[in-house]
């Protein structure tokens, strides 16, 4: 078990949320649950791509805010599209690669190359990439690259 495990409070739909997250992340598994009956289970332990979580059926007392989010680092635009499409289903897109899923949990779907564009050797290119990112909802690797290199957007 990891030293630090995110503990997620759900409004009595933790089992549904866990099943949803397990369906989104391929390298995932349910680890344990505390409670004998499916309708009375209090907590669910699960792992998404090596990160352990616990989901709690805690009731409506507390809700998620964007003050805490989970970053999904993506190697390709196909990965960005995959996670974006699945996690925004029933949720809401935001700005700069952020979204809120159907359970109110905030995620950032981020290309691994983003720091290369935002902190690259060309300060003007980095500024253009930052401006391009600020205008995006879902991040676009081709558009970030085009902005950094000063070639416009890939859609022009």
């Amino acid at each position: 078990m990891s030293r630090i495990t995110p503990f997620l409070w759900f409004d009595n739909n933790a089992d549904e949320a866990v099943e949803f997250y397990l369906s989104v992340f391929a390298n995932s598994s349910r680890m344990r649950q505390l409670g004998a009956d499916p309708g009375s289970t209090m907590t669910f332990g699960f792992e998404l791509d090596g990160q352990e979580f616990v989901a709690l059926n805690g009731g409506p007392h507390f809700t998620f805010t964007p003050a805490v989010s989970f970053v999904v680092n993506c190697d390709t635009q196909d990965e960005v599209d995959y996670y974006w499409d699945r996690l925004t289903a029933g949720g809401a897109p935001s700005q700069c690669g952020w979204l809120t899923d159907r359970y109110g949990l905030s995620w950032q779907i981020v290309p691994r190359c983003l720091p290369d564009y935002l902190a690259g050797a060309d300060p003007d290119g980095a500024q253009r990439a930052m401006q391009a990112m600020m205008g995006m909802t879902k991040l676009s690797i081709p558009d970030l690259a085009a902005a950094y290199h000063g070639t416009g957007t890939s859609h022009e």
Side-chain angles (χ1 to χ4, degrees):
M1 178 177 262
S2 301
R3 179 179 296 269
I4 299 173
T5 301
F7 206 91
L8 307 174
W9 184 295
F10 292 91
D11 184 5
N12 296 314
N13 59 352
D15 51 340
E16 176 186 311
V18 168
E19 290 305 318
F20 171 69
Y21 297 132
L22 292 175
S23 76
V24 171
F25 293 89
N27 298 320
S28 303
S29 63
R30 179 184 294 267
M31 297 180 329
R32 64 193 169 285
Q33 65 186 55
L34 180 61
D37 300 321
S40 68
T41 301
M42 191 68 170
T43 63
F44 299 86
F46 63 107
E47 186 176 294
L48 304 178
D49 278 337
Q51 174 62 55
E52 293 181 10
F53 292 86
V54 174
L56 167 73
N57 275 322
H61 310 294
F62 301 105
T63 59
F64 299 119
T65 74
V68 173
S69 63
F70 294 101
V71 176
V72 179
N73 293 298
C74 300
D75 292 320
T76 66
Q77 188 63 45
D78 286 343
E79 285 184 353
V80 169
D81 296 344
Y82 171 86
Y83 289 110
W84 185 268
D85 293 346
R86 278 147 189 86
L87 291 169
T88 57
S94 189
Q95 185 178 355
C96 304
W98 287 60
L99 64 91
T100 303
D101 71 22
R102 67 180 75 170
Y103 301 102
L105 194 58
S106 293
W107 297 83
Q108 298 178 57
I109 310 304
V110 179
R112 286 189 198 274
C113 62
L114 183 62
D116 296 337
Y117 295 129
L118 298 182
D122 175 6
D124 292 333
Q127 181 61 35
R128 287 190 304 269
M130 175 65 81
Q131 288 176 328
M133 181 192 73
M134 295 301 291
M136 296 179 189
T137 50
K138 177 175 68 174
L139 298 182
S140 165
I141 295 172
D143 289 348
L144 289 166
Y148 181 81
H149 296 294
T151 59
T153 65
S154 66
H155 296 105
E156 293 180 345

